[in-house]
Amino acid sequence: RHFLVAGGRLVLERITLTGGRALLSGGGSILVLEPGAVLVRRSTFERNRAVLGSGGSISVRGACELHIEDVTFTHSSATWRGGALSLNGHWLGAHESHLANPPHGPPQISMSRAIWDKNRAGRGGADVYYCHYPPLALSGASSLHCTDELGFDSSG
């Protein structure tokens, strides 16, 4: 893994992150934990892996911020879900009241001009997996949206 963001802010611009690997977790390149914030601009994620995890390049857990602008995700993979990106608003130990009113505010996710190329995931969402977040507009992405604890809505 290249970066662990837990409560801080990470800004990356004009960088290529390649060969990141996370074992038994997610975020082969970047793992973002609540209340972390990440901004990535004009960058590339290439050949990152989450082994026995989700989010080959980036995994976001809880009420975090993630802003993606002009970013390419290519040849990344996850054993579970979200070959390139995993967004999970639910985390172990969270209670329903906590989910309805997170202490750090609602998650803030924005993506513009993302390119998804040859990413794969063993259990769905070759490009993006997102759960316990509002539906996202994902242009050109193969995604898997968790609608509840057991059901999934596959898109793209």
Side-chain angles (χ1 to χ4, degrees), residues 127-155:
D127 295 314
V128 180
Y129 165 73
Y130 58 106
C131 192
H132 299 285
Y133 281 98
L136 300 171
L138 298 167
S139 178
S142 171
S143 65
L144 182 67
H145 179 216
C146 156
T147 56
D148 57 34
E149 288 302 314
L150 299 174
F152 293 91
D153 169 31
S154 188
S155 323

Short mmCIF file of all heavy atoms in Angstrom, two decimals, residues 127-155:
data_model
loop_
_atom_site.label_atom_id
_atom_site.label_comp_id
_atom_site.label_asym_id
_atom_site.label_seq_id
_atom_site.Cartn_x
_atom_site.Cartn_y
_atom_site.Cartn_z
N ASP A 127 -14.88 -2.30 -11.87
CA ASP A 127 -14.27 -0.99 -11.68
C ASP A 127 -14.59 -0.40 -10.31
O ASP A 127 -13.69 0.00 -9.58
CB ASP A 127 -14.76 -0.02 -12.77
CG ASP A 127 -14.31 -0.43 -14.16
OD1 ASP A 127 -13.12 -0.78 -14.31
OD2 ASP A 127 -15.14 -0.45 -15.08
N VAL A 128 -15.88 -0.37 -9.95
CA VAL A 128 -16.30 0.32 -8.72
C VAL A 128 -17.33 -0.52 -7.96
O VAL A 128 -18.26 -1.06 -8.54
CB VAL A 128 -16.95 1.69 -9.04
CG1 VAL A 128 -17.39 2.40 -7.77
CG2 VAL A 128 -15.99 2.56 -9.83
N TYR A 129 -17.14 -0.57 -6.65
CA TYR A 129 -18.13 -1.15 -5.72
C TYR A 129 -18.47 -0.05 -4.72
O TYR A 129 -17.58 0.61 -4.18
CB TYR A 129 -17.54 -2.35 -4.98
CG TYR A 129 -18.31 -2.78 -3.78
CD1 TYR A 129 -19.53 -3.44 -3.91
CD2 TYR A 129 -17.84 -2.54 -2.49
CE1 TYR A 129 -20.25 -3.85 -2.80
CE2 TYR A 129 -18.56 -2.94 -1.38
CZ TYR A 129 -19.76 -3.60 -1.54
OH TYR A 129 -20.47 -3.99 -0.44
N TYR A 130 -19.79 0.17 -4.49
CA TYR A 130 -20.16 1.14 -3.47
C TYR A 130 -21.37 0.66 -2.70
O TYR A 130 -22.29 0.07 -3.24
CB TYR A 130 -20.36 2.54 -4.04
CG TYR A 130 -21.40 2.68 -5.13
CD1 TYR A 130 -22.61 3.28 -4.85
CD2 TYR A 130 -21.15 2.26 -6.42
CE1 TYR A 130 -23.57 3.43 -5.83
CE2 TYR A 130 -22.09 2.41 -7.41
CZ TYR A 130 -23.30 3.00 -7.11
OH TYR A 130 -24.24 3.15 -8.08
N CYS A 131 -21.30 0.88 -1.39
CA CYS A 131 -22.32 0.37 -0.48
C CYS A 131 -22.56 1.39 0.63
O CYS A 131 -21.60 1.96 1.17
CB CYS A 131 -21.84 -0.96 0.10
SG CYS A 131 -23.11 -1.86 0.98
N HIS A 132 -23.83 1.60 0.97
CA HIS A 132 -24.22 2.57 2.01
C HIS A 132 -23.82 3.99 1.63
O HIS A 132 -23.44 4.80 2.47
CB HIS A 132 -23.68 2.19 3.39
CG HIS A 132 -24.19 0.88 3.86
ND1 HIS A 132 -25.46 0.70 4.33
CD2 HIS A 132 -23.61 -0.33 3.90
CE1 HIS A 132 -25.65 -0.56 4.65
NE2 HIS A 132 -24.54 -1.22 4.40
N TYR A 133 -23.85 4.27 0.34
CA TYR A 133 -23.69 5.61 -0.21
C TYR A 133 -24.86 5.84 -1.15
O TYR A 133 -25.42 4.88 -1.69
CB TYR A 133 -22.40 5.72 -1.04
CG TYR A 133 -21.14 5.89 -0.24
CD1 TYR A 133 -20.33 4.80 0.05
CD2 TYR A 133 -20.76 7.14 0.21
CE1 TYR A 133 -19.17 4.94 0.77
CE2 TYR A 133 -19.59 7.28 0.94
CZ TYR A 133 -18.80 6.19 1.21
OH TYR A 133 -17.66 6.33 1.93
N PRO A 134 -25.21 7.09 -1.40
CA PRO A 134 -26.25 7.33 -2.41
C PRO A 134 -25.73 6.84 -3.77
O PRO A 134 -24.52 6.78 -3.99
CB PRO A 134 -26.39 8.85 -2.42
CG PRO A 134 -25.73 9.34 -1.19
CD PRO A 134 -24.73 8.30 -0.78
N PRO A 135 -26.64 6.50 -4.69
CA PRO A 135 -26.20 6.08 -6.03
C PRO A 135 -25.30 7.13 -6.67
O PRO A 135 -25.50 8.34 -6.49
CB PRO A 135 -27.51 5.93 -6.80
CG PRO A 135 -28.52 5.65 -5.75
CD PRO A 135 -28.08 6.45 -4.54
N LEU A 136 -24.30 6.67 -7.39
CA LEU A 136 -23.34 7.56 -8.05
C LEU A 136 -23.51 7.49 -9.56
O LEU A 136 -23.85 6.45 -10.10
CB LEU A 136 -21.91 7.12 -7.71
CG LEU A 136 -21.51 7.12 -6.25
CD1 LEU A 136 -20.16 6.45 -6.08
CD2 LEU A 136 -21.46 8.54 -5.72
N ALA A 137 -23.24 8.59 -10.23
CA ALA A 137 -23.21 8.60 -11.69
C ALA A 137 -21.78 8.24 -12.10
O ALA A 137 -20.85 9.00 -11.88
CB ALA A 137 -23.57 9.99 -12.22
N LEU A 138 -21.61 7.04 -12.65
CA LEU A 138 -20.28 6.53 -12.98
C LEU A 138 -20.20 6.30 -14.48
O LEU A 138 -20.60 5.25 -14.98
CB LEU A 138 -20.01 5.24 -12.23
CG LEU A 138 -20.00 5.35 -10.71
CD1 LEU A 138 -20.04 3.99 -10.07
CD2 LEU A 138 -18.77 6.13 -10.26
N SER A 139 -19.71 7.26 -15.19
CA SER A 139 -19.62 7.17 -16.64
C SER A 139 -18.57 6.15 -17.06
O SER A 139 -17.41 6.24 -16.68
CB SER A 139 -19.28 8.54 -17.22
OG SER A 139 -19.14 8.46 -18.61
N GLY A 140 -19.00 5.15 -17.83
CA GLY A 140 -18.07 4.18 -18.39
C GLY A 140 -17.54 3.15 -17.42
O GLY A 140 -16.63 2.40 -17.75
N ALA A 141 -18.09 3.07 -16.21
CA ALA A 141 -17.57 2.14 -15.20
C ALA A 141 -18.49 0.93 -15.06
O ALA A 141 -19.70 1.05 -15.12
CB ALA A 141 -17.45 2.83 -13.85
N SER A 142 -17.89 -0.22 -14.84
CA SER A 142 -18.64 -1.40 -14.44
C SER A 142 -18.73 -1.35 -12.92
O SER A 142 -17.72 -1.38 -12.24
CB SER A 142 -17.91 -2.67 -14.89
OG SER A 142 -18.51 -3.79 -14.33
N SER A 143 -19.95 -1.24 -12.39
CA SER A 143 -20.08 -1.04 -10.95
C SER A 143 -21.06 -2.02 -10.34
O SER A 143 -21.89 -2.62 -11.01
CB SER A 143 -20.54 0.39 -10.66
OG SER A 143 -21.85 0.60 -11.16
N LEU A 144 -20.95 -2.19 -9.03
CA LEU A 144 -21.84 -3.02 -8.24
C LEU A 144 -22.28 -2.19 -7.06
O LEU A 144 -21.45 -1.72 -6.27
CB LEU A 144 -21.11 -4.28 -7.77
CG LEU A 144 -21.92 -5.28 -6.97
CD1 LEU A 144 -23.00 -5.92 -7.84
CD2 LEU A 144 -21.00 -6.36 -6.42
N HIS A 145 -23.60 -1.96 -6.94
CA HIS A 145 -24.13 -1.14 -5.85
C HIS A 145 -24.88 -2.03 -4.88
O HIS A 145 -25.83 -2.71 -5.25
CB HIS A 145 -25.08 -0.06 -6.41
CG HIS A 145 -25.67 0.81 -5.37
ND1 HIS A 145 -26.95 1.28 -5.44
CD2 HIS A 145 -25.17 1.29 -4.21
CE1 HIS A 145 -27.21 2.02 -4.38
NE2 HIS A 145 -26.15 2.04 -3.62
N CYS A 146 -24.44 -2.03 -3.64
CA CYS A 146 -25.10 -2.79 -2.58
C CYS A 146 -26.35 -2.01 -2.17
O CYS A 146 -26.25 -0.87 -1.74
CB CYS A 146 -24.11 -2.92 -1.42
SG CYS A 146 -24.84 -3.18 0.17
N THR A 147 -27.53 -2.63 -2.31
CA THR A 147 -28.77 -1.93 -1.95
C THR A 147 -29.16 -2.16 -0.50
O THR A 147 -29.87 -1.37 0.07
CB THR A 147 -29.93 -2.38 -2.87
OG1 THR A 147 -30.04 -3.80 -2.78
CG2 THR A 147 -29.66 -1.98 -4.30
N ASP A 148 -28.71 -3.24 0.06
CA ASP A 148 -28.92 -3.51 1.49
C ASP A 148 -27.85 -4.53 1.91
O ASP A 148 -26.92 -4.78 1.17
CB ASP A 148 -30.34 -4.03 1.77
CG ASP A 148 -30.67 -5.29 0.98
OD1 ASP A 148 -29.78 -6.13 0.74
OD2 ASP A 148 -31.84 -5.43 0.61
N GLU A 149 -27.99 -5.10 3.08
CA GLU A 149 -26.95 -6.00 3.56
C GLU A 149 -26.76 -7.23 2.69
O GLU A 149 -25.69 -7.80 2.64
CB GLU A 149 -27.26 -6.44 5.00
CG GLU A 149 -27.05 -5.34 6.01
CD GLU A 149 -25.65 -4.80 6.02
OE1 GLU A 149 -24.68 -5.57 6.00
OE2 GLU A 149 -25.50 -3.57 6.04
N LEU A 150 -27.80 -7.68 1.98
CA LEU A 150 -27.70 -8.91 1.23
C LEU A 150 -27.87 -8.74 -0.28
O LEU A 150 -27.47 -9.59 -1.05
CB LEU A 150 -28.73 -9.93 1.73
CG LEU A 150 -28.57 -10.32 3.19
CD1 LEU A 150 -29.72 -11.21 3.62
CD2 LEU A 150 -27.25 -11.01 3.44
N GLY A 151 -28.50 -7.65 -0.72
CA GLY A 151 -28.82 -7.51 -2.13
C GLY A 151 -27.87 -6.57 -2.84
O GLY A 151 -27.33 -5.65 -2.26
N PHE A 152 -27.70 -6.83 -4.12
CA PHE A 152 -26.82 -5.99 -4.92
C PHE A 152 -27.53 -5.58 -6.20
O PHE A 152 -28.29 -6.35 -6.76
CB PHE A 152 -25.52 -6.72 -5.28
CG PHE A 152 -24.68 -6.98 -4.08
CD1 PHE A 152 -24.79 -8.15 -3.37
CD2 PHE A 152 -23.76 -6.02 -3.65
CE1 PHE A 152 -24.02 -8.38 -2.25
CE2 PHE A 152 -22.98 -6.25 -2.54
CZ PHE A 152 -23.10 -7.43 -1.83
N ASP A 153 -27.26 -4.37 -6.64
CA ASP A 153 -27.81 -3.86 -7.88
C ASP A 153 -26.63 -3.64 -8.81
O ASP A 153 -25.80 -2.78 -8.56
CB ASP A 153 -28.54 -2.55 -7.60
CG ASP A 153 -28.92 -1.81 -8.86
OD1 ASP A 153 -29.17 -2.49 -9.87
OD2 ASP A 153 -28.93 -0.58 -8.82
N SER A 154 -26.55 -4.40 -9.86
CA SER A 154 -25.42 -4.30 -10.78
C SER A 154 -25.74 -3.30 -11.86
O SER A 154 -26.82 -3.29 -12.42
CB SER A 154 -25.14 -5.68 -11.40
OG SER A 154 -23.96 -5.63 -12.13
N SER A 155 -24.80 -2.41 -12.16
CA SER A 155 -24.98 -1.38 -13.17
C SER A 155 -23.81 -1.38 -14.14
O SER A 155 -22.74 -1.84 -13.83
CB SER A 155 -25.04 0.00 -12.53
OG SER A 155 -25.70 -0.01 -11.31
#
